[in-house]
């Protein structure tokens, strides 16, 4: 039901964007919005300081007349995503610790006993066990060698004749180093076969995903808009549900929805809805000005990428400039 509503809203907004006139006068400081010219200026600053971002043209049939032909939107490719959002959720118990001085408390993630030790930690340590079982290295003639060594131990006083030693076959034993190498090769081949057999059935290993990120200009909201599309380790596109695994669960299917890209044909892409972008930017501008500073419009996309990171926290794209509100 939610997807149907998102589709209807997306269609209505496309019509509204088509009917909305292009913003000509700058209202950046008053409302936190951008003109197309300011969007291009902020994009030039991002590309200059972060070369992983580049301008893209897209489909010429979908080119926007209010933007330069060679600067339709911004793109960065192969951004790593090592974890799923669920892995960032902390499930441990928290304890509020009060200070005697009355200055306040803090949150402690582990409860300690009176003697300074952790009961939970001690319990987990006691549960640890060591597995002493090791696979012994055997050669084809190991049993025969063992029998001869036993006979030598029983006859310490009698030296072993070299002719008998040679006839016993001890000189033809496999070199231990060679035997170890062969065993490692066998294990490697077995692991490859096992990996092939379990690839389709699914395993517990989360392989590295990569994402392509796009920044477009939304004429209706007059702000930048972020789009993402993900790939697995074989560069195969992720499914919709897989991409939602890399989105904060507070924003999945609400702030982040699947919609058609304004500059590219093909399947829908995940997009961070821009309805709140201008309000957030306006608050940031006010905070900077209250601290006696001034925020230039060229920094818009640098700041934009930082507050959008809360929506997609595991996609590690933000290697831009540091920014201080004070």
């Amino acid at each position: 039901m939610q997807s149907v509503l998102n589709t209807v809203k997306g269609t209505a907004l496309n019509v509204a964007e088509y009917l909305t006139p292009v913003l000509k006068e700058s209202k950046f400081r008053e409302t936190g919005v951008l003109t197309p010219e300011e969007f291009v200026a902020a994009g030039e600053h991002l590309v200059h300081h972060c070369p992983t971002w580049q301008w893209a043209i897209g489909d010429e049939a979908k080119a926007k007349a209010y933007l330069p032909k060679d600067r339709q939107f911004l793109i960065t490719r192969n951004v790593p995503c090592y974890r799923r959002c669920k892995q960032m959720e902390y499930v441990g118990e928290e304890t509020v610790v009060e200070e005697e001085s009355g200055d306040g408390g803090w949150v402690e993630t582990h409860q300690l006993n009176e003697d300074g030790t952790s009961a939970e930690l001690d319990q987990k340590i006691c549960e640890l066990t060591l597995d002493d079982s090791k696979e012994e290295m055997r050669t084809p003639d190991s049993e025969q060698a063992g029998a001869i060594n036993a006979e030598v131990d029983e006859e310490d006083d009698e030296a072993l004749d070299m002719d008998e030693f040679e006839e016993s076959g001890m000189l033809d034993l496999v070199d231990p180093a060679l035997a170890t190498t062969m065993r490692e090769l066998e294990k490697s081949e077995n692991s490859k076969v096992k990996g092939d057999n379990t690839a389709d059935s699914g395993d517990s290993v989360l392989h590295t995903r990569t994402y392509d990120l796009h920044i477009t200009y939304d004429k209706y909201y007059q702000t930048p808009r972020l789009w993402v599309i993900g790939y697995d380790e074989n560069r195969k596109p992720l499914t919709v549900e897989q991409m939602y695994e890399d989105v904060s669960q507070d924003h999945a299917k609400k702030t982040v929805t699947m919609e058609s890209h304004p500059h590219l044909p093909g399947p829908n892409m995940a997009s961070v809805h821009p309805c709140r972008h201008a309000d957030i930017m306006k608050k940031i501008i006010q905070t900077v000005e209250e601290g006696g500073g001034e925020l230039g419009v060229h920094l818009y996309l640098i700041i934009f990428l930082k507050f959008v990171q809360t929506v997609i926290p595991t996609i590690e794209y933000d290697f831009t400039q540091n920014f201080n509100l004070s």
Side-chain angles (χ1 to χ4, degrees), residues 42-310:
E44 290 291 337
H45 182 82
L46 177 64
V47 170
H48 176 74
H49 289 277
C50 307
T52 55
W53 286 94
Q54 297 294 329
W55 285 106
I57 300 174
D59 188 353
E60 294 183 359
K62 294 189 172 186
K64 310 300 181 183
Y66 50 82
L67 292 171
K69 291 183 179 180
D70 59 344
R71 286 167 171 76
Q72 292 287 303
F73 66 98
L74 292 152
I75 183 172
T76 183
R77 294 184 173 89
N78 299 320
V79 179
C81 180
Y82 300 106
R83 298 178 295 169
R84 310 289 78 81
C85 281
K86 291 182 179 179
Q87 293 179 279
M88 300 183 67
E89 298 177 359
Y90 181 73
V91 296
E93 295 182 356
E94 294 181 345
T95 303
V96 178
V97 180
E98 299 291 342
E99 289 184 300
E100 296 180 358
S101 60
D103 295 334
W106 66 92
V107 176
E108 184 181 40
T109 57
H110 297 286
Q111 179 70 29
L112 301 179
N113 296 328
E114 295 180 357
D115 58 354
T117 61
S118 172
E120 180 181 1
L121 182 61
D122 292 341
Q123 182 178 0
K124 291 184 178 180
I125 293 176
C126 293
E127 294 175 355
L128 294 177
T129 57
L130 296 177
D131 187 4
D132 294 329
S133 61
K134 296 182 179 179
E135 185 178 5
E136 297 180 356
M137 183 185 70
R138 297 181 181 275
T139 61
D141 299 320
S142 58
E143 295 182 359
Q144 183 178 358
I148 293 177
N149 289 335
E151 292 178 1
V152 172
D153 293 338
E154 293 177 359
E155 300 176 2
D156 293 334
D157 298 336
E158 184 177 343
L160 183 65
D161 187 86
M162 287 302 298
D163 293 335
E164 295 180 0
F165 183 81
E166 183 175 356
E167 292 177 358
S168 67
M170 290 293 291
L171 295 179
D172 297 330
L173 287 177
V174 179
D175 184 3
L178 179 60
T180 304
T181 303
M182 294 300 293
R183 181 173 297 279
E184 291 178 352
L185 290 174
E186 291 177 0
K187 289 183 177 180
S188 177
E189 292 177 358
N190 292 336
S191 64
K192 289 181 179 179
V193 173
K194 185 180 294 185
D196 294 338
N197 293 335
T198 58
D200 296 333
S201 59
D203 53 30
S204 59
V205 178
L206 292 176
H207 301 282
T208 301
R209 296 174 176 178
T210 57
Y211 277 84
D212 292 349
L213 278 64
H214 303 178
I215 301 177
T216 63
Y217 177 77
D218 191 292
K219 191 178 72 162
Y220 179 76
Y221 287 101
Q222 301 167 344
T223 62
R225 183 169 187 170
L226 184 68
W227 304 76
V228 299
I229 182 169
Y231 303 90
D232 63 14
E233 64 277 9
N234 297 317
R235 198 60 186 175
K236 181 181 177 182
L238 299 176
T239 64
V240 174
E241 293 303 322
Q242 285 176 322
M243 283 192 283
Y244 277 136
E245 293 175 353
D246 299 322
V247 175
S248 168
Q249 296 306 300
D250 294 333
H251 301 91
K253 301 181 182 180
K254 300 173 185 176
T255 306
V256 178
T257 56
M258 305 299 297
E259 300 184 34
S260 58
H261 196 284
H263 296 280
L264 297 174
N268 291 349
M269 294 176 58
S271 174
V272 181
H273 202 273
C275 59
R276 298 286 297 169
H277 292 352
D279 292 338
I280 296 174
M281 184 58 67
K282 181 181 177 180
K283 292 178 181 178
I284 293 175
I285 294 172
Q286 292 175 347
T287 302
V288 173
E289 291 179 347
E290 289 172 359
E294 183 176 347
L295 184 62
V297 69
H298 63 283
L299 293 173
Y300 197 113
L301 292 181
I302 300 290
I303 302 170
F304 167 78
L305 288 172
K306 293 186 182 299
F307 68 70
V308 173
Q309 181 82 71
T310 59

